[in-house]
Amino acid sequence: MTTRYEPAIDLSAITAIDVHVHIEVDAHGHSSLPADLSEAASAYFSADAGRPDLDSVAAHYRERSMAAVVFTVDAQTALEHPALSSEEVAEGAARNNDVLIPFGSVDPRQGQAAIDRARHLIEDYGVRGFKFHPTVQGFDPSDEQYFPLYETLQAAGVVALFHTGQTGIGAGMRGGRGFRLALSNPMLLDTVAAEFPDLQIIMAHPSVPWQDEAISVATHKHNTWIDLSGWSPKYFPPQLVRAANSFLKTRILFGSDFPLLTPDRWLRDVEQIEMKPEVMPGILKHNAARLLGLG
């Protein structure tokens, strides 16, 4: 019998909501990436951060009185590698619903099958959003062929989280393993935000080298948000810090990119930059709580 996720997060008891946490290995030891990509990513990030399973991730965040959005990336078509089960991620989040919030992932290139699976994950498993990685999944998010999928997500009231900017996945490999960085230009999401104005879209990461494009989209389209994952705050572009401190402060979200970047390091490094103390509660918790309907 399917266990449908229902949140049991006590907002008064948590200090932050990390909206960007990867589940990279399942309970059976299966990795989300082929071995060559995993090895190259470890080399790119100059360390093997380890790949904790979902229950270990939950324990990590529970120890820190934090909640976390967890997901995998389904890129079966592009990688020719079986994805982790989003159903298992959702069931794991249901087991740990005091600290975890599940997002699903579907392979957009699977067409109607992706739409059907998205509905299944929403209706039967209670996922609160979907993670997309255009570069790794090999699709142009602005292409009209994917509009029926976005319509499904918009109608269900769930969030769409897109990787933006450069990626360490494939970096240093021959031809970057064929991955195209341009697919993760946040300006491609302007089309999605315009065509689906009630779909809440997270542009993940400081969008290097397209930070100005991401800020432009977020300024113009108020159904878009920016998460601050994947980079130590001390490397944030100055225009992103200015926006987070002022006109985008209600749509900026804390994210780490765990396990590659830990919430502990993010919180330590953010103290080194000029973030206004009065905007931090919103960025760390309240903005995400509002977006995710947690109260």
Side-chain angles (χ1 to χ4, degrees):
M1 181 178 177
T2 299
T3 301
R4 191 176 192 280
Y5 174 82
E6 293 292 344
I9 296 169
D10 181 356
L11 287 177
S12 66
I14 63 170
T15 60
I17 300 172
D18 186 337
V19 302
H20 203 110
V21 174
H22 289 267
I23 303 300
E24 296 189 345
V25 64
D26 66 16
H28 319 290
H30 177 65
S31 174
S32 61
L33 292 173
D36 62 337
L37 277 175
S38 291
E39 292 168 7
S42 293
Y44 175 83
F45 289 104
S46 303
D48 188 343
R51 294 172 176 84
D53 63 16
L54 185 141
D55 289 317
S56 298
V57 170
H60 185 88
Y61 281 86
R62 192 175 289 116
E63 288 168 0
R64 288 155 177 78
S65 299
M66 294 182 185
V69 172
V70 290
F71 48 71
T72 186
V73 176
D74 185 340
Q76 292 189 65
T77 302
L79 297 183
E80 299 181 339
H81 177 80
L84 300 189
S85 167
S86 284
E87 289 84 355
E88 289 188 9
V89 170
E91 288 182 331
R95 281 197 308 275
N96 296 281
N97 65 346
D98 59 318
V99 291
L100 298 186
I101 302 140
F103 275 21
S105 185
V106 296
D107 183 346
R109 293 170 63 180
Q110 293 183 352
Q112 185 61 47
I115 295 170
D116 292 343
R117 185 147 181 258
R119 289 194 180 113
H120 168 61
L121 288 166
I122 295 165
E123 295 169 4
D124 297 334
Y125 286 86
V127 301
R128 294 304 180 96
F130 285 82
K131 167 63 187 289
F132 299 99
H133 197 310
T135 292
V136 171
Q137 291 175 310
F139 80 107
D140 178 346
S142 69
D143 192 313
E144 291 185 5
Q145 68 178 298
Y146 306 113
F147 283 12
L149 175 57
Y150 304 147
E151 178 58 45
T152 298
L153 306 190
Q154 178 175 257
V158 298
V159 176
L161 188 157
F162 290 85
H163 172 94
T164 67
Q166 71 182 63
T167 179
I169 306 302
M173 301 180 73
R174 182 171 175 267
R177 207 180 188 269
F179 295 157
R180 291 177 289 163
L181 296 179
L183 295 175
S184 292
N185 186 328
M187 194 55 72
L188 297 175
L189 300 176
D190 183 66
T191 297
V192 183
E195 294 291 331
F196 300 93
D198 296 320
L199 177 63
Q200 300 302 310
I201 297 166
I202 300 174
M203 296 181 286
H205 315 307
S207 302
V208 176
W210 302 293
Q211 189 60 71
D212 290 335
E213 283 89 335
I215 291 172
S216 178
V217 173
T219 301
H220 194 257
K221 305 293 192 299
H222 284 199
N223 55 321
T224 61
W225 309 63
I226 293 174
D227 89 30
L228 300 177
S229 66
W231 295 78
S232 163
K234 63 186 179 182
Y235 300 123
F236 287 173
Q239 64 269 44
L240 177 60
V241 176
R242 287 195 299 271
N245 272 330
S246 54
F247 57 94
L248 290 183
K249 64 184 178 182
T250 62
R251 285 183 288 117
I252 298 290
L253 306 165
F254 163 55
S256 67
D257 213 15
F258 185 81
L260 288 173
L261 183 70
T262 67
D264 295 348
R265 181 185 174 192
W266 194 101
L267 289 169
R268 182 177 67 248
D269 289 357
V270 80
E271 295 179 359
Q272 301 178 37
I273 65 174
E274 295 182 0
M275 293 295 294
K276 294 179 180 178
E278 61 267 29
V279 307
M280 290 305 296
I283 290 171
L284 289 174
K285 180 169 72 170
H286 300 303
N287 296 345
R290 188 174 76 255
L291 172 62
L292 298 168
L294 298 176

